[in-house]
Amino acid sequence: MKIVHTSDWHLGQFFYARSRAAEHQAFFQWLKALVIDQGIEAIIVAGDIFDTATPPSYARELLNQFIVSLQETGCQLYLLAGNHDSVATLNESRELVACLNTHIITGPTEQADCPIFPLTDRQGNVAAILCAIPYLRPRDIQLSQAGLSGREKQQDLLHAITRYYHDIFQQARDYSQQHRFDDRPIIVTGHLTALGVTKSDSVRDIYIGSLEAFPASAFPPADYIALGHIHRPQNVSGDKPIRYSGSPIPLSFDELGSSKSVTLITLTAGEPLQWQTVDIPCFQPMRGLKGTLSELAEQLAALEPPTNGQKIWLDIEIHHEEYLSDLQQRVEKMTAGLAVEILLLRRKRIQSSLALSTKVKETLSELTPEEVFRRRLAQEPLDDDQYQILLQRFREVSAQLDEAQG
C-alpha cells in the first residue's frame, strides 16, 4: 500500500494581495496525477487545510472539487484540522464528504468516535493503523488549574499533550490486538512544533502559554509520525521516522531555499515501513534579490523569463549607505519590460566603518531632533512611502510641540 503524507495547504491564502488559487489548482492536478501514476491508496493531510478560519468560497470550492475528482481513483483522503482551521467550518461538510471516501478529523471534543482508522488497500486488506490526531487546543485536553506558575502551566500542557498521544497510541495497539493486526505498522499524525525544526516567516506559534515546542522523545513509538505546521520539509531527530512533509507551495519568500515535496510512504507485508520524498513542481516562479542597485541590475539581467507567460514574483532588499527618496522609481525603471512583478521592496541601511566611527563621537547635542529620528528610521526595513509618512508625522508632532511651548 502507498500513502501520501502532505500538510499545510493553506487554501485561500493571499500573498501580498495576490491569490494563490491558480497554484493550488495546479497542485491538486499534479497530486491526482501522482495518485494515478503511483497507485496511491490514501492521502493524509496533517493540518491547515485552509489559511484562515473563514476561508473564501473559492477555497472551499477547490477542496470540494478535489474530493470529487479523487473518487475515480479510489484513493482515501484524511483531512486533519490545524491551528489555522475552524473546527465549525470543517465539521459543516464532515458527514457529507464521508460518503466520498473522505474523513475529516477536527478534535477530541467535537468527535465522539475514537480517531483510530484502519488503512485498507484496494483489496480491502488492512495495511496499517492510523492514529488521526489533529491540532490539539489546550482547552480540549487540559483542565484549568488555579495558582499555577508560568513554568507549571507549561509542564502541565506538555504532560496533557503527551498523555493524549500515548492514550490514542495505546488504543491503536488494543485495536490491532483485538483484530489480530499486530504486525501492521501504526502511523500517528500531529499538528504542532517539535524540537529541532527550522521554521519560516509564515509559521505562526500555535500553543498558548510558553510551550513553544514538543520534544521528539515525548511521541509514542509509532512506525511513522506524520506532522504538519512547519512549512519546510524536514525530519525530526528520533529513533522512528518523525517527519514534516512541508507545504506544497512557498507561503513566504524565506521558504524559497528548499524544494517543496510530499512524502510517499510504502507499506509491504513483512517488511519495515519505507518512505521517500516526491518533489512538487514550481507553479509560480518567485525570487528574492538582495544587494546594491548595481548588484540588483546584474541579478535582474540574469533572470530567465518563464516560458508560460507568467511573471516572477520578487522580494527585493536594497543595500545602500544613504537614504534614497526615489528608490521606488529607480527600481521600477530597472524592471520595466521584464517579466517580473515586485511584491515586496525593502531598504537595508548599510553604514560604512568611517560613518560609524564618526557617529560614535557625536552627541545628541550635536544633532537636531529630526536628524535623530531620521537615523532611527534608517534602522528599520521601511519602504519609501512608510519612511515619508513617519517623517511627515514627526514633523507635524514637532510643530505642535513648538506651538504649545511658544
Side-chain angles (χ1 to χ4, degrees):
M1 182 179 186
K2 292 183 178 180
I3 303 168
V4 161
H5 164 210
T6 178
S7 70
D8 297 274
W9 287 355
H10 287 268
L11 301 176
Q13 189 208 35
F14 276 83
F15 191 66
Y16 296 97
R18 275 71 174 181
S19 171
R20 316 301 297 273
E23 295 168 81
H24 281 124
Q25 182 67 57
F27 166 66
F28 283 152
Q29 293 173 354
W30 174 86
L31 183 55
K32 181 184 176 182
L34 180 69
V35 167
I36 296 172
D37 181 63
Q38 294 290 329
I40 292 163
E41 292 155 292
I43 298 174
I44 299 171
V45 189
D48 282 353
I49 311 302
F50 296 111
D51 189 59
T52 67
T54 55
S57 58
Y58 81 83
R60 300 186 192 195
E61 184 178 1
L62 277 176
L63 177 61
N64 292 336
Q65 289 175 346
F66 179 65
I67 291 173
V68 172
S69 72
L70 276 185
Q71 298 313 295
E72 63 185 80
T73 70
C75 182
Q76 309 160 60
L77 182 61
Y78 293 86
L79 301 175
L80 293 104
N83 63 297
H84 283 248
D85 295 311
S86 163
V87 169
T89 298
L90 289 179
N91 281 343
E92 285 176 352
S93 58
R94 189 177 68 188
E95 294 182 3
L96 178 62
V97 299
C99 302
L100 299 174
N101 223 14
T102 298
H103 307 273
I104 294 178
I105 302 93
T106 54
T109 58
E110 289 79 8
Q111 225 165 280
D113 298 332
C114 175
I116 305 298
F117 296 89
L119 298 179
T120 56
D121 59 21
R122 286 190 171 84
Q123 289 71 45
N125 301 315
V126 175
I129 308 299
L130 174 65
C131 299
I133 301 177
Y135 166 58
L136 298 175
R137 291 169 174 80
R139 66 175 180 270
D140 296 337
I141 58 173
Q142 187 182 30
L143 295 176
S144 178
Q145 300 182 55
L148 295 182
S149 65
R151 176 65 176 173
E152 289 171 335
K153 289 180 180 178
Q154 177 187 17
Q155 289 300 312
D156 186 62
L157 180 55
L158 173 60
H159 293 156
I161 296 171
T162 303
R163 184 168 55 252
Y164 184 82
Y165 266 92
H166 283 264
D167 286 348
I168 299 301
F169 181 74
Q170 186 58 49
Q171 292 180 38
R173 278 184 165 174
D174 295 342
Y175 178 90
S176 296
Q177 292 175 359
Q178 179 183 355
H179 295 84
R180 297 182 180 179
F181 297 146
D182 294 356
D183 59 337
R184 307 313 197 264
I186 296 178
I187 299 173
V188 175
T189 69
H191 191 87
L192 43 69
T193 301
L195 288 174
V197 300
T198 304
K199 295 184 182 182
S200 61
D201 287 344
S202 57
V203 173
R204 302 176 190 171
D205 291 332
I206 58 177
Y207 283 125
I208 63 171
S210 56
L211 180 59
E212 297 179 355
F214 189 72
S217 60
F219 284 111
D223 295 274
Y224 183 91
I225 298 178
L227 297 180
H229 182 57
I230 301 300
H231 299 161
R232 288 191 175 97
Q234 57 194 287
N235 295 333
V236 180
S237 59
D239 297 332
K240 296 291 184 179
I242 305 175
R243 179 162 178 81
Y244 287 97
S245 63
S247 59
I249 64 174
L251 299 172
S252 62
F253 277 110
D254 72 327
E255 294 178 25
L256 299 180
S258 59
S259 61
K260 295 299 182 179
S261 63
V262 298
T263 305
L264 178 59
I265 303 168
T266 302
L267 306 176
T268 305
E271 297 182 12
L273 178 149
Q274 302 291 326
W275 65 269
Q276 66 186 90
T277 60
V278 181
D279 287 341
I280 301 173
C282 175
F283 305 116
Q284 169 61 56
M286 300 167 61
R287 290 288 301 274
L289 307 180
K290 297 181 180 181
T292 63
L293 286 173
S294 59
E295 291 170 339
L296 174 62
E298 296 175 359
Q299 295 175 46
L300 289 170
L303 291 178
E304 296 184 7
T307 57
N308 56 2
Q310 287 181 302
K311 290 188 176 183
I312 305 173
W313 288 353
L314 294 182
D315 168 18
I316 297 177
E317 181 181 275
I318 298 296
H319 298 175
H320 206 276
E321 293 186 5
E322 301 297 334
Y323 172 74
L324 300 174
S325 60
D326 61 343
L327 178 61
Q328 182 81 28
Q329 292 81 358
R330 291 194 189 195
V331 174
E332 288 178 352
K333 185 176 181 180
M334 294 170 65
T335 58
L338 300 179
V340 300
E341 185 175 3
I342 303 172
L343 269 61
L344 186 60
L345 177 59
R346 295 172 291 136
R347 213 170 31 87
K348 183 176 181 180
R349 180 74 175 272
I350 305 298
Q351 298 176 337
S352 65
S353 57
L354 177 60
L356 285 174
S357 62
T358 301
K359 289 178 181 178
V360 168
K361 299 177 182 178
E362 291 177 335
T363 64
L364 286 176
S365 62
E366 298 175 280
L367 301 173
T368 66
E370 182 169 321
E371 288 174 335
V372 173
F373 189 71
R374 281 178 175 271
R375 293 188 182 185
R376 180 63 185 89
L377 287 182
Q379 298 175 12
E380 298 296 324
L382 304 172
D383 58 31
D384 289 333
D385 291 339
Q386 293 172 321
Y387 183 96
Q388 293 297 339
I389 290 172
L390 290 173
L391 184 58
Q392 179 61 33
R393 182 58 181 156
F394 174 84
R395 289 170 175 168
E396 292 172 357
V397 173
S398 297
Q400 293 173 3
L401 291 175
D402 289 341
E403 292 177 4
Q405 292 174 355

